[in-house]
Amino acid sequence: MNWISDLVSAMSLMVERGTRSNAEDFGSYMEEIVGFWTRLCASRGLKLSVNGEVPALPDSLHLPLALVLHEIMGEVVRHYEPGAVGQAAAVAFAASATDISMVVSATTPAGDDAVHTESMALVEGLVALLGGQTARSEPGRGGLTVKVHLPLTARQLQ
């Protein structure tokens, strides 16, 4: 049940951040949530690394990209096996003038249950709704890689 608590804490951070009247740019928010997941992973012995700079993004992508990252990281932490050797996760960002890509990759075992299926369906559905693409790879030996590609001109969620 720890993973539920982790996800609730992450979502609380997102809600608290969104209600600030002088909320900073998304890059600094992403630094906060990546810091949250890094501390949480480190406390459990799971190494998390971050690569690439988070670019300036339109406001319409702040919440959706944060939801996607929280959902994927929640899955990574949920499937982490304490004491297992070599388990790590990485988040990478890349951007161009027209789009942003985020890749989350983990050596933790890939999910194979209804919660994992629903979690990935939520990510894929949200990204598709925004006109983006999602690809995931789950090798038979374990591991999870989710690639999210979103246009910077994604439509606004209501």
Side-chain angles (χ1 to χ4, degrees):
M1 294 313 267
N2 280 343
W3 66 274
I4 291 175
S5 173
D6 300 339
L7 202 51
V8 168
S9 295
M11 297 303 284
S12 296
L13 175 64
M14 184 174 62
V15 168
E16 184 269 330
R17 174 74 178 206
T19 59
R20 291 183 196 167
S21 60
N22 61 348
E24 298 171 32
D25 66 301
F26 187 65
S28 47
Y29 171 70
M30 286 303 280
E31 287 177 17
E32 280 186 42
I33 62 173
V34 167
F36 167 84
W37 285 109
T38 300
R39 288 186 303 278
L40 187 133
C41 289
S43 73
R44 300 203 176 144
L46 177 64
K47 183 179 184 326
L48 174 64
S49 61
V50 180
N51 304 301
E53 294 290 320
V54 179
L57 295 174
D59 290 345
S60 62
L61 288 180
H62 291 192
L63 182 61
L65 200 55
L67 284 169
V68 166
L69 180 60
H70 286 315
E71 193 67 30
I72 296 169
M73 284 305 302
E75 275 297 286
V76 168
V77 170
R78 186 170 79 90
H79 290 286
Y80 170 63
E81 297 174 352
V85 176
Q87 291 190 8
V91 179
F93 297 95
S96 71
T98 59
D99 53 35
I100 180 169
S101 294
M102 179 177 70
V103 178
V104 180
S105 187
T107 59
T108 57
D112 187 18
D113 57 10
V115 173
H116 177 73
T117 301
E118 291 169 2
S119 178
M120 291 300 101
L122 183 142
V123 167
E124 291 165 352
L126 179 58
V127 170
L129 184 65
L130 294 167
Q133 299 172 332
T134 306
R136 63 180 159 126
S137 169
E138 299 179 35
R141 293 188 343 228
L144 172 68
T145 298
V146 180
K147 299 175 184 179
V148 174
H149 185 79
L150 288 170
L152 293 179
T153 57
R155 62 185 234 193
Q156 179 76 34
L157 294 180
Q158 301 287 328

